[in-house]
Amino acid sequence: MTLDSQLHFHKMDDLKMALFLSQNKGIIEALENDDEDLAYEILSDITKAISKNTNILMKSQIITKEHNIFARSWDDIYSGMPIGDFRVDFDYFKTNKTPRTSIEVGRLLGIKATVPIYKDDVFLGFVEVISFFKSITTFFSSMGVDLYVLLDVKHADSAVLMMQNLTIDEYILSNRNYNYSHIQMLNEIDFKELKLSKTLYVDNKYIFYKTMYDGNHKAIGGFVFVLPERYLEYFRNPEDNISFLINVTRSGLYDVIKEEKYENNVYEKYSASSMVYLQDVISKEDRQVFLDEAYEKFDKFTKDELIQMMLNRNIVKKIEGKIK
């Protein structure tokens, strides 16, 4: 599944950078000598250099063994602030010395790559690299898919910096670069039904749901995808099928549409070219209604246009693949 691969990709990128920072002699020296200014200077210089040369905006921070902010790359005004009450994921390091990379609830929800810092087997603190779903949201947007990262509202007491964020149903919207155009629709759907069925069809759009877990595999919210029906045209080939989103086949999507209570013909919103592909998944009992509508649509085309349509049909004959 593309979401999983994107999350893994960004987790590994963040982890690589956190491991690199954890070996920085200047950072280790700053922690040893309680030199917050030096730590900030080092983090700031490194992240600015990365941004200048790669266009990647990286956020990193150093945390003391007492779970207080020691230094952050993006400002120098919160040194000494305790954050342990917001970060239950630190409990992992009570029994583990290995790094941890996961989606975690802190004062903000994000992907956190946390690496403990040791010198001569003496534990000094942590270095973290943090990302907030911006790149992943942009990635899906480039494919015509809008992503909404939703944190269960029961975590609002921890996510104190998200208290002013937009809410959808009983969730706090976490990613900042979302598409606002679907918010009203999402506020009107039944999220219990969405979580149960994983797929809804509303206003000519498919809505998909995938549960979001933290590092302890505890459900903390969900990822919601909105895919306008017209973009299904891009996923006809087996190598470009919709399995990148969720475990549903194209015929399953047809069933989702069929279940909707249309006042008019279920097929009237489809173009003729779309119906060429839809014929593969029509059940026997629906076939006559489908054919009647198809003939009416095809009658508006010239012979040459129909031939070209069928030639395209022969090239892309079958949609295969499972969504993982």
Side-chain angles (χ1 to χ4, degrees), residues 152-202:
D152 195 307
V153 74
K154 67 184 179 183
H155 297 289
D157 289 343
S158 295
V160 293
L161 295 183
M162 296 170 55
M163 296 187 73
Q164 300 302 315
N165 285 26
L166 197 67
T167 58
I168 297 175
D169 194 69
E170 296 183 353
Y171 298 93
I172 303 171
L173 184 54
S174 302
N175 53 328
R176 297 176 180 177
N177 56 327
Y178 59 88
N179 184 348
Y180 189 83
S181 64
H182 302 309
I183 297 300
Q184 182 177 348
M185 177 191 65
L186 291 176
N187 271 314
E188 293 174 352
I189 66 173
D190 185 339
F191 264 81
K192 291 182 179 178
E193 181 184 354
L194 176 61
K195 290 175 66 175
L196 183 64
S197 65
K198 305 301 182 186
T199 310
L200 292 179
Y201 181 76
V202 180

Side-chain angles (χ1 to χ4, degrees), residues 88-102:
V88 296
D89 54 299
F90 284 148
D91 290 344
Y92 166 85
F93 294 102
K94 292 178 180 179
T95 55
N96 294 275
K97 293 185 176 182
T98 55
R100 176 186 174 98
T101 308
S102 53

Side-chain angles (χ1 to χ4, degrees), residues 24-88:
N24 184 284
K25 292 182 179 180
I27 290 176
I28 295 173
E29 180 183 332
L31 266 174
E32 275 189 306
N33 299 322
D34 199 27
D35 191 339
E36 297 169 347
D37 292 337
L38 175 61
Y40 168 72
E41 184 179 344
I42 293 171
L43 287 183
S44 180
D45 287 347
I46 291 175
T47 54
K48 285 179 180 177
I50 291 173
S51 176
K52 179 180 179 180
N53 292 283
T54 67
N55 243 3
I56 297 173
L57 298 176
M58 188 187 83
K59 291 184 179 294
S60 63
Q61 65 182 8
I62 300 170
I63 301 166
T64 68
K65 61 184 178 182
E66 294 83 17
H67 303 160
N68 300 326
I69 293 176
F70 187 71
R72 303 196 302 188
S73 63
W74 62 97
D75 65 51
D76 60 353
I77 59 177
Y78 288 100
S79 298
M81 176 180 287
I83 60 173
D85 290 343
F86 306 107
R87 296 288 302 276
V88 296

Side-chain angles (χ1 to χ4, degrees), residues 9-28:
F9 172 79
H10 286 285
K11 286 178 181 179
M12 291 303 100
D13 253 18
D14 291 351
L15 178 58
K16 285 186 287 186
M17 184 52 62
L19 286 168
F20 166 74
L21 292 174
S22 72
Q23 301 298 314
N24 184 284
K25 292 182 179 180
I27 290 176
I28 295 173

Side-chain angles (χ1 to χ4, degrees), residues 112-225:
K112 297 177 173 68
T114 309
V115 179
I117 298 175
Y118 289 88
K119 183 176 181 181
D120 300 327
D121 290 328
V122 177
F123 175 54
L124 301 177
F126 308 90
V127 63
E128 286 190 327
V129 172
I130 311 169
S131 52
F132 298 106
F133 309 105
K134 181 177 181 179
S135 296
I136 296 175
T137 305
T138 301
F139 171 82
F140 281 106
S141 179
S142 70
M143 304 169 69
V145 180
D146 293 310
L147 171 65
Y148 300 85
V149 182
L150 303 180
L151 176 67
D152 195 307
V153 74
K154 67 184 179 183
H155 297 289
D157 289 343
S158 295
V160 293
L161 295 183
M162 296 170 55
M163 296 187 73
Q164 300 302 315
N165 285 26
L166 197 67
T167 58
I168 297 175
D169 194 69
E170 296 183 353
Y171 298 93
I172 303 171
L173 184 54
S174 302
N175 53 328
R176 297 176 180 177
N177 56 327
Y178 59 88
N179 184 348
Y180 189 83
S181 64
H182 302 309
I183 297 300
Q184 182 177 348
M185 177 191 65
L186 291 176
N187 271 314
E188 293 174 352
I189 66 173
D190 185 339
F191 264 81
K192 291 182 179 178
E193 181 184 354
L194 176 61
K195 290 175 66 175
L196 183 64
S197 65
K198 305 301 182 186
T199 310
L200 292 179
Y201 181 76
V202 180
D203 295 337
N204 300 318
K205 301 175 185 69
Y206 296 101
I207 306 171
F208 306 97
Y209 181 91
K210 180 175 173 61
T211 303
M212 177 170 57
Y213 298 96
D214 66 9
N216 293 324
H217 204 68
K218 177 183 176 182
I220 58 174
F223 298 97
V224 170
F225 305 89

Side-chain angles (χ1 to χ4, degrees), residues 253-264:
L253 291 182
Y254 163 71
D255 290 337
V256 170
I257 298 174
K258 184 181 172 184
E259 290 173 3
E260 294 295 318
K261 305 301 182 182
Y262 282 105
E263 294 180 2
N264 300 314

